[in-house]
Amino acid sequence: IAGSVLVPLGYVLNDPAAVSASLEGPVVVVCKVGARAQHAAAALRAVGLDAAVLAGGIEAWNRETAG
């Protein structure tokens, strides 16, 4: 996705404040199908970042943009 930044889930969960400090909200968190993104978004929201999850993940995004 254009403009996206890869931040591994483990890093987000271990130090969400550091991740949040390097981002400008709102942000959309994406993973393959959305489940792992829910965990990352919750951690980011807990430190005050406006974080949403792309419903269905990258698989849904690919389906919607391919057609």
Side-chain angles (χ1 to χ4, degrees):
I1 300 173
S4 64
V5 176
L6 173 63
V7 181
L9 177 61
Y11 185 71
V12 175
L13 297 180
N14 287 331
D15 198 354
V19 174
S20 178
S22 68
L23 300 171
E24 294 182 23
V27 299
V28 178
V29 183
V30 181
C31 67
K32 185 175 179 182
V33 295
R36 292 169 51 95
Q38 292 289 348
H39 296 292
L44 294 170
R45 286 192 295 266
V47 295
L49 186 66
D50 184 4
V53 175
L54 180 65
I58 197 69
E59 288 188 352
W61 185 82
N62 282 332
R63 282 193 304 274
E64 291 180 23
T65 59

